Structures are given as structure tokens and as C-alpha cells.
Amino acid sequence: METNTNLMKNIDSSSSVTDIKDIRIGVIGLGYVGLPLARLFSTKYPTIGFDISKTRVDELNAGHDSRLEVTNQLLTEALTKYGLKCTFDIKDLKDCNFYIVAVPTPIDEKMRPDLNPLLSASRLVGKVISKGDIVVFESTVYPGVTEDECMPIIEKESGLTYNKDFFGGYSPERINPGDRFHTVERITKVTSGSTPETADLVDDVYNSVLVNGTYKAPSIKVAEASKVIENAQRDVNIAFFNELARIFNAIGIDTQEVIEAAASKWNFNKLKPGLVGGHCISVDPYYLIQKAKDYDVVPDLLIAARNINESMGPYVAAKTIDLMNRKGIMVKDAKVLLLGVTFKENCPDIRNTKILSIYNTLKEYTDNITVLDYWADPLTVEKEYGIKLSIESIDDMKGRFDAVILAVAHCQFCNFNVRELLADPEKGVVFDVKSVLSPDMVDGRL
């Protein structure tokens, strides 16, 4: 069988993209979004995966994804059987004609959108794009970024004219880190294009590798907006449950019991309170907030939701300290164990983790804080946050702590009797952020 690598050599690289059979894909950014995409598209089309990090590229070419989004087996198969090429050399992208940009869109220290990675990627595409090519963006943005910010940069770098010499599209990512069911091939993807013909082709390309198909949006701006409200909606919903937790904790009612009772109604939307971190739900609403302000609209609900969710880390720390005080535990210099540092369970992703705010609040009272996480990379955690992870096993930690906070529901923590970690199982404090432990095992939970 002829591999995609050989097919690439047989296609005239100067031809315009007019037929799906001629597609040669270049994915810019091989992170949580880009790598699964590149792996999937390589099963159907000649595919080049590009990343600016040589370390990342070397790791992938060795058949391993340290972020655990693509298994070693699938990655090796993509590299050897389907001809996926991962590279940090921009010249390797020149034969592509269908570019997919999947780089991060973070926020700055003032919670404003930081488009620098996206704009840098646009400049890169502008250096390799040819007449007739298509550029599709997957990065989460506010409406207008693709056509108002990115395309002019590509025009300037390439000397080509948008919608005359090259064309654009937007298909928002829907990657859920650590989710082994809603993988990219199994989700419905929103697609869009800068012209009706481009929209059709973009839709066809994505449809050709997806099990559940696509939803073709009427415009790029609609597609952009659809993505940003997906996560804004979840942020608002979780904020509501976080506010309920604070109310019911003050009253002395168990929040989870209230939720279970309310969930007996057929149309109740059942969620849990908790920490909202990561690169999506805790970031994307700021993009919509900024765009609303540009149009003199004050998005009070979005802002309030963000403020509530951002406050939950310090709230957890404060509740733990309060429980310690009530049990007569000296908080100053107390020994505290934080179970988990990633932003969600069974996933190595530490981006924008809210465990940091729990840690920093506790640091005001004690330096004796131990953090344990089997999923996170210790070197990355120390580099990003200045926290040294413990390398001990959880079994070796029994009988040592005044308080334990189960912050992340990793599988290794949920099936363990956490009270055994306390120096005094009767007097010590266990706070369950995720409400996954038996109620008789904990002293407090959200």
C-alpha cells in the first residue's frame, strides 16, 4: 500500500486546493489540540505536524506523547504506517496546502486576551503559504480574530490577497484533556469558511475523518462565537453551584445532598461545585468579556461568574483552616498534605491550575505543605509554580499530617483511606474539594 509520504511526493505542490483528494495538511502546534488532529488527519491525508519546540518534536518522533492525549501505539502507527512527520523546521511545511493552526490563546496577568502565539503562528503561515491554499484556525478566540487579526498578517507576510489568492476557515477545538471517550474523531466539529466554496471544502475535509460529522456554521464569526460561549456557559453554571456551596456551607447543609434532592426533578441541570482551572473554562470567558467591552457592553454575569470561580481556591484553604481551628489544631506551622496539583483528574495538564491558589493561601500560615501528584511532571511543576512535588508513595505518608486536602480526584487518591494520612485520625482534618470520598471520611467538602 502506498503511504501518505509517497503520495505527497506525487502531488504537484503548485496546484491549488480544488479537490479533497489533493489535500496536504500542515498542523501548526502539536499540543493538546494539534497532535490529536495531526494523528487523525494522517490516516487520510499527507500530514506534517509542526511545533517550535525541538524537545516536543523529538519526543513525538520517538513515539511518545508526554501529555497522554495520543497513546504510544496510535502515535507510532501514525508515524510508521501513515507517514505523519513531526518537525520544527518551517521549510517542511512548504508542500502543504491546507494549514490548521492549533496554538494556545492564553490571557495575560491582567486577564486580557493574549493573541501573541496566534499572531506568531499567522506570520509563520504567511512565510510558507501559496496561491490557492486554505488556512483554518482552531484556537479559541473572540469573534473577528481570524479575519480581522490573523488574515491581514498572512497577507503581509505572503504578499497574497485574502479570498483571492488564499482562503480561510475556522473550526473550533473541542479537546477535553484526559477524556478518553470524547476524542477528536468522536465529537461533532463546527466548521466554517471565508467563501461558500471554501466552507464546503473545509467541511468535507473534517467530515472525512470524523465519526459524528460536522456542523457547518454560516460564517467564521459565528463559528468563533459558538466556541467561546461553550466554555462561558460552563463557567457560569459552575459558578452558580460554587455560590450554592458557599451558601449551604454557611447554613450548615450538605451541598451534595441538596443537589441530589434537586436532581430528582426531570429538568434540573446537575453539576458539582469545584475549582475551575485549565486552559479553557477559566480562560475563554475573558475573550468574550473583552470583546463585549469593546462594544460598550458590560457582561455582568460573565464577570461575576469569573470572580466567583477564581475565589474558590482561597475559599477551600480558608474552610480547611477554619475546621482546623474548630478542632484545636494549631494552624501556624501545621503539616498539610495537598493531594493533586493538575487542573483535573487523571490528566497531567497543570495549565492554570487553581491548586496554586490553595497552596499560596496556606503558605501564609505554614511552610510545611506537601504536594503529591502522580500524574504531573515534577520538573514542569517546579519550573512553572516553584512547587516541589513529593516523590514518596502515599502509603509511606500515613500518620504524618494535621490536615489533608483532596484537591484533585486522581484514581490513586479516591480508593485510599485518606484518614490514615492524619497524625491523629480523630482530631485531624480532611477536606474533600471534589466530593468523591465517603461523607463519614471527611470533615468538610464543597
Side-chain angles (χ1 to χ4, degrees):
M1 185 178 76
E2 191 174 30
T3 66
N4 282 351
T5 303
N6 291 329
L7 285 172
M8 183 176 290
K9 295 176 181 177
N10 295 334
I11 296 173
D12 178 8
S13 62
S14 65
S15 62
S16 298
V17 184
T18 57
D19 194 305
I20 193 170
K21 296 191 299 294
D22 297 332
I23 294 295
R24 305 185 301 279
I25 291 176
V27 178
I28 317 299
L30 295 176
Y32 285 92
V33 176
L35 179 63
L37 273 175
R39 196 285 307 172
L40 179 60
F41 276 121
S42 74
T43 64
K44 189 87 174 181
Y45 307 99
T47 302
I48 300 290
F50 174 88
D51 200 280
I52 60 174
S53 169
K54 181 180 184 299
T55 301
R56 175 67 170 164
V57 169
D58 288 344
E59 166 192 277
L60 297 178
N61 281 329
H64 176 64
D65 173 24
S66 60
R67 298 173 187 182
L68 306 182
E69 288 305 303
V70 176
T71 66
N72 291 351
Q73 179 181 350
L74 284 177
L75 180 55
T76 301
E77 181 183 56
L79 293 166
T80 59
K81 179 179 179 181
Y82 297 113
L84 171 65
K85 180 177 181 179
C86 298
T87 181
F88 55 90
D89 189 343
I90 186 176
K91 294 193 296 294
D92 291 330
L93 291 168
K94 285 185 174 292
D95 283 336
C96 300
N97 55 20
F98 192 100
Y99 295 93
I100 299 174
V101 177
V103 298
T105 43
I107 50 176
D108 63 19
E109 66 280 355
K110 294 184 178 179
M111 306 301 181
R112 297 174 304 194
D114 178 5
L115 296 178
N116 285 315
L118 193 61
L119 302 183
S120 294
S122 299
R123 282 189 285 271
L124 184 149
V125 171
K127 296 180 187 300
V128 295
I129 197 172
S130 301
K131 269 195 171 187
D133 290 357
I134 293 174
V135 186
V136 178
F137 288 85
E138 291 232 357
S139 307
T140 302
V141 293
Y142 52 76
V145 168
T146 298
E147 296 188 288
D148 300 340
E149 304 286 344
C150 298
M151 295 307 178
I153 290 176
I154 296 175
E155 285 185 313
K156 181 179 179 181
E157 290 291 335
S158 66
L160 303 175
T161 302
Y162 178 52
N163 277 341
K164 176 184 176 185
D165 299 320
F166 74 96
F167 304 88
Y170 183 79
S171 180
E173 60 91 0
R174 280 176 170 167
I175 295 294
N176 185 24
D179 190 334
R180 298 296 173 256
F181 180 77
H182 298 99
T183 52
V184 63
E185 60 263 48
R186 292 190 180 128
I187 60 174
T188 300
K189 283 276 283 172
V190 173
T191 65
S192 61
S194 56
T195 68
E197 295 78 15
T198 304
D200 288 342
L201 183 56
V202 170
D203 194 64
D204 287 344
V205 169
Y206 277 92
N207 239 321
S208 68
V209 294
L210 299 176
V211 174
N212 291 321
T214 60
Y215 178 91
K216 186 166 62 175
S219 70
I220 287 176
K221 283 186 173 66
V222 167
E224 291 170 323
S226 74
K227 169 57 185 179
V228 78
I229 71 166
E230 289 174 17
N231 289 332
Q233 181 189 60
R234 282 188 55 78
D235 197 43
V236 170
N237 287 344
I238 297 171
F240 171 67
F241 281 82
N242 277 336
E243 191 155 70
L244 292 180
R246 299 177 85 141
I247 293 170
F248 294 139
N249 280 337
I251 295 173
I253 304 172
D254 188 284
T255 305
Q256 297 306 315
E257 292 178 354
V258 175
I259 293 172
E260 289 299 329
S264 64
K265 188 170 187 282
W266 65 91
N267 61 351
F268 181 79
N269 185 14
K270 183 181 177 182
L271 294 174
K272 280 187 174 184
L275 306 176
V276 182
H279 188 65
C280 293
I281 300 176
S282 63
V283 173
D284 297 348
Y286 290 115
Y287 277 72
L288 190 55
I289 288 169
Q290 181 61 53
K291 194 63 175 177
K293 290 179 177 179
D294 290 344
Y295 283 83
D296 296 323
V297 176
V298 180
D300 294 319
L301 182 61
L302 296 180
I303 294 171
R306 279 283 72 235
N307 290 338
I308 290 171
N309 289 338
E310 285 293 309
S311 72
M312 292 307 292
Y315 175 78
V316 167
K319 290 298 294 183
T320 304
I321 291 168
D322 180 59
L323 288 168
M324 293 169 70
N325 284 328
R326 289 172 182 269
K327 285 197 168 188
I329 301 173
M330 180 70 70
V331 178
K332 180 174 171 54
D333 298 325
K335 294 180 179 179
V336 181
L337 174 62
L338 266 174
L339 292 176
V341 75
T342 62
F343 94 90
K344 66 182 295 188
E345 64 274 8
N346 304 329
C347 170
D349 195 346
I350 64 168
R351 292 176 298 173
N352 202 29
T353 176
K354 297 308 170 187
I355 311 305
L356 184 65
S357 59
I358 299 177
Y359 180 88
N360 287 337
T361 303
L362 292 172
K363 282 285 285 184
E364 297 175 15
Y365 299 88
T366 177
D367 288 325
N368 298 321
I369 304 173
T370 301
V371 183
L372 180 66
D373 196 310
Y374 298 120
W375 289 81
D377 176 57
L379 293 177
T380 304
V381 172
E382 185 169 7
K383 178 182 177 182
E384 292 294 324
Y385 301 121
I387 298 174
K388 288 188 176 182
L389 295 183
S390 173
I391 59 173
E392 292 183 88
S393 73
I394 193 170
D395 286 308
D396 292 336
M397 293 183 170
K398 292 178 180 178
R400 283 171 39 184
F401 300 96
D402 299 304
V404 176
I405 300 176
L406 190 145
V408 187
H410 291 318
C411 56
Q412 294 94 336
F413 302 151
C414 295
N415 299 315
F416 187 88
N417 185 353
V418 295
R419 295 209 77 83
E420 293 182 358
L421 298 167
L422 298 170
D424 185 341
E426 295 298 321
K427 187 179 179 181
V429 168
V430 172
F431 193 93
D432 182 8
V433 174
K434 301 295 291 185
S435 299
V436 293
L437 301 177
S438 173
D440 60 2
M441 194 181 293
V442 304
D443 301 282
R445 61 180 184 172
L446 289 181

